[in-house]
Amino acid sequence: MAGNLFDSDAFTDWLTDIKIPLGDWAAAVFDWLQRNFTFAFDALSDTLEALIDAILWVLQTPHPLIVIAVIAGLAYAAHRRWTIPAMTVLGFIFIINQGYWEETTESLTLVLSACVVCMGLGVPIGIAAAHRPRLYAAMRPVLDLMQTLPAFVYLIPAIVFFGIGMVPGLIATVIFVLPAPIRLTHLGITATPKPLLEAAQAFGATPRQTLWKVELPYALPQIMAGLNQTIMLSLSMVVIAALVGADGLGVPVVRALNQVNTSLGFESGFVIVVLAILLDRLLRVDRK
């Protein structure tokens, strides 16, 4: 009898028999949401689709050389030196040479859309969490879960609620990327030196004035780092988003994987690397 109590196989079978139905609970929650909030998901899908179509129109309607010239001009205005604009022009010319301009604009659309949503949500949430330590303590497990849960898992509810296309790819990307701007904004705001805050209060600054005149300027490097991380993480999701019908550079990668096509896989993969380098250099904050 004692041997049976401490038998490892019997104990494992017993634990399996009383398995916590975590998957069934999640499925029940998704079914309930789908039945009761279809209107909300449809409205969100229409809004995100309009955002995607607008950005895609801006990138694809003009001639590619015009788009490249505008991006190079913005790069020069941001950095005030010619090396980054020149590298930008050469990088995009290489992408056109490889025949991936359309796929690149589609991936850029996904990345920029994710940036709009993530920064629009992440910065205010990060500010609120910095001013409310209990709120951040409650958010930390959720942020950890969002960052550590395999990205493929996000595709399942995205397909259930939004179908196939760019929108579910964007939703999965936002869930995966959102913790980065929240954490970095929180870090920047909480790192504001207390003497600066005390000086602002001594001169009669209101909490709103303290936020806009002291905390946000001091936290700007961390917020820009959050934007950089948002773009890099969003770009890392283009291949995964292609699995749910999102257009872009992930499509030829998935096609190459299915066909075991080394040439196609290397071409599309290298173009993704070039695009990642360009975006990183364009958004890098110069230290003076």
Side-chain angles (χ1 to χ4, degrees), residues 141-187:
V142 179
L143 298 177
D144 292 339
L145 178 66
M146 293 169 66
Q147 287 187 307
T148 56
L149 197 66
F152 287 95
V153 177
Y154 300 136
L155 302 181
I156 301 172
I159 294 174
V160 171
F161 297 140
F162 301 100
I164 301 295
M166 292 284 282
V167 172
L170 175 59
I171 293 294
T173 301
V174 168
I175 296 174
F176 177 71
V177 175
L178 187 58
I182 293 176
R183 289 184 186 276
L184 286 169
T185 301
H186 172 269
L187 175 64

Side-chain angles (χ1 to χ4, degrees), residues 119-135:
M119 297 304 291
L121 294 175
V123 173
I125 293 175
I127 293 173
H131 291 158
R132 298 167 180 84
R134 290 185 180 180
L135 174 62

Side-chain angles (χ1 to χ4, degrees), residues 102-126:
E102 183 176 355
E103 290 83 356
T104 299
T105 56
E106 291 166 346
S107 292
L108 276 174
T109 298
L110 181 63
V111 170
L112 293 176
S113 300
C115 284
V116 171
V117 177
C118 289
M119 297 304 291
L121 294 175
V123 173
I125 293 175

Side-chain angles (χ1 to χ4, degrees), residues 10 12-19:
T12 302
D13 293 339
W14 177 75
L15 279 180
T16 305
D17 291 337
I18 61 168
K19 175 183 176 181

Side-chain angles (χ1 to χ4, degrees), residues 71-115:
I71 296 175
L74 293 175
Y76 178 77
H79 297 276
R80 294 297 179 181
R81 48 197 176 94
W82 287 104
T83 53
I84 293 179
M87 185 178 66
T88 300
V89 171
L90 291 176
F92 281 118
I93 291 296
F94 170 78
I95 291 174
I96 294 176
N97 172 263
Q98 294 297 303
Y100 287 96
W101 175 253
E102 183 176 355
E103 290 83 356
T104 299
T105 56
E106 291 166 346
S107 292
L108 276 174
T109 298
L110 181 63
V111 170
L112 293 176
S113 300
C115 284

Side-chain angles (χ1 to χ4, degrees), residues 259-282:
Q259 300 173 356
V260 196
N261 189 330
T262 305
S263 175
L264 179 62
F266 184 82
E267 280 183 2
S268 53
F270 194 76
V271 168
I272 293 175
V273 171
V274 171
L275 182 60
I277 293 174
L278 292 179
L279 292 175
D280 179 68
R281 296 300 185 273
L282 286 171

